[in-house]
Amino acid sequence: MTRAELKAEAKKKLHGNWRWAVAVVLIISLINVIVSSPSYMQFAVRGNLAGLDYKFQMHWLLEICLSIFIGFFALSYAVTFLNLCDGRRENAVKSAFSAFYDNLFIPEFLNYLLQNIFELLWGLLLIIPGLIKSYSYAMTPYIVKDMVDSGQHVGFTTGVTASKRLMAGHKWELFVLDLSFVGWYVLLCGIGILLGVGFSFLVKATGLFQIFASTVTVGLCVSLGLLVLTPYVQTTRAEFYRNLAGNQFK
């Protein structure tokens, strides 16, 4: 399929499912905001450990754990919208936690960790090799889901290795597909900035309040736009996988 055909198919799958899709994205987004809130990162622990501030150590430990959780939690997008492409749809709440259900948690989590370790190591070399490898491993969560659904054994490296093999010669296609959505993100930011500036003038805000009002308006506008854009992007990516892989991992 061409990019236009993949996007058209994604829109077709989302037809009649937009409210459900937006609800899924909203739930995942709210949970991510809650767990990453600065108030959850503040520790009243004081002390000293080998000359280092214990509070500082705990802060960064929590940062790492939260980053891992948020990244893994986002895999529910891949699982949920691949289900949609395959004609299956759970309720919005279960869909938001789909990476934790149906025996997916352990194999998805193990492959997710390995994928991120590989991407980090490649990224330490140079940005470009790291980016290329991220596209090599991009189909990992989809492959793991298909294999688990079909009752196959999924090891620590199964999904990552299969994704690398599947994406050979197709990384550029996915990169260009992702790039084709950049205009939507730029449009969202542009509308947000215009509304932010307009709102600050409307309320005759000045100084710090003007900056605050503009920032909040931009943030709200972009966030609302992403609630609609994210399902479109995720469904198109799921269609890319299904078109490329077919049923070979089922």
Side-chain angles (χ1 to χ4, degrees), residues 30-42:
L30 287 175
I31 292 174
N32 284 343
V33 168
I34 291 170
V35 299
S36 62
S37 172
S39 62
Y40 282 76
M41 297 182 183
Q42 302 303 317

Side-chain angles (χ1 to χ4, degrees), residues 40-113:
Y40 282 76
M41 297 182 183
Q42 302 303 317
F43 281 84
V45 181
R46 301 187 184 281
N48 191 280
L49 183 62
L52 298 175
D53 184 71
Y54 186 52
K55 181 179 178 181
F56 178 80
Q57 291 181 12
M58 292 300 293
H59 172 81
W60 280 104
L61 179 61
L62 180 64
E63 285 271 11
I64 293 171
C65 291
L66 286 178
S67 296
I68 292 172
F69 173 80
I70 291 171
F72 176 74
F73 194 55
L75 292 187
S76 289
Y77 285 134
V79 175
T80 293
F81 290 103
L82 182 58
N83 277 335
L84 180 64
C85 290
D86 291 340
R88 301 196 303 274
R89 199 192 88 170
E90 302 283 355
N91 66 71
V93 175
K94 186 173 181 180
S95 294
F97 291 89
S98 56
F100 298 83
Y101 284 98
D102 301 325
N103 301 314
L104 282 173
F105 176 72
I106 293 177
E108 286 283 16
F109 186 69
L110 291 178
N111 280 269
Y112 163 77
L113 279 181

Side-chain angles (χ1 to χ4, degrees), residues 76-152:
S76 289
Y77 285 134
V79 175
T80 293
F81 290 103
L82 182 58
N83 277 335
L84 180 64
C85 290
D86 291 340
R88 301 196 303 274
R89 199 192 88 170
E90 302 283 355
N91 66 71
V93 175
K94 186 173 181 180
S95 294
F97 291 89
S98 56
F100 298 83
Y101 284 98
D102 301 325
N103 301 314
L104 282 173
F105 176 72
I106 293 177
E108 286 283 16
F109 186 69
L110 291 178
N111 280 269
Y112 163 77
L113 279 181
L114 187 65
Q115 177 184 348
N116 278 269
I117 290 171
F118 283 170
E119 289 178 5
L120 175 63
L121 293 176
W122 279 101
L124 290 175
L125 296 176
L126 284 171
I127 295 176
I128 300 301
L131 179 63
I132 292 173
K133 284 301 176 181
S134 71
Y135 277 91
S136 289
Y137 307 138
M139 298 294 104
T140 299
Y142 303 102
I143 293 171
V144 171
K145 183 197 177 303
D146 270 354
M147 296 183 75
V148 170
D149 284 352
S150 62
Q152 299 178 57

Side-chain angles (χ1 to χ4, degrees), residues 176-228:
V176 174
L177 179 64
D178 287 342
L179 207 61
S180 68
F181 290 104
V182 169
W184 286 106
Y185 293 108
V186 172
L187 179 64
L188 279 180
C189 291
I191 293 174
I193 291 171
L194 288 175
L195 289 176
V197 172
F199 179 74
S200 64
F201 276 110
L202 183 65
V203 298
K204 298 180 179 179
T206 57
L208 289 176
F209 180 67
Q210 182 180 24
I211 297 174
F212 174 76
S214 298
T215 302
V216 170
T217 305
V218 171
L220 285 174
C221 179
V222 172
S223 297
L224 290 173
L226 287 175
L227 288 178
V228 177

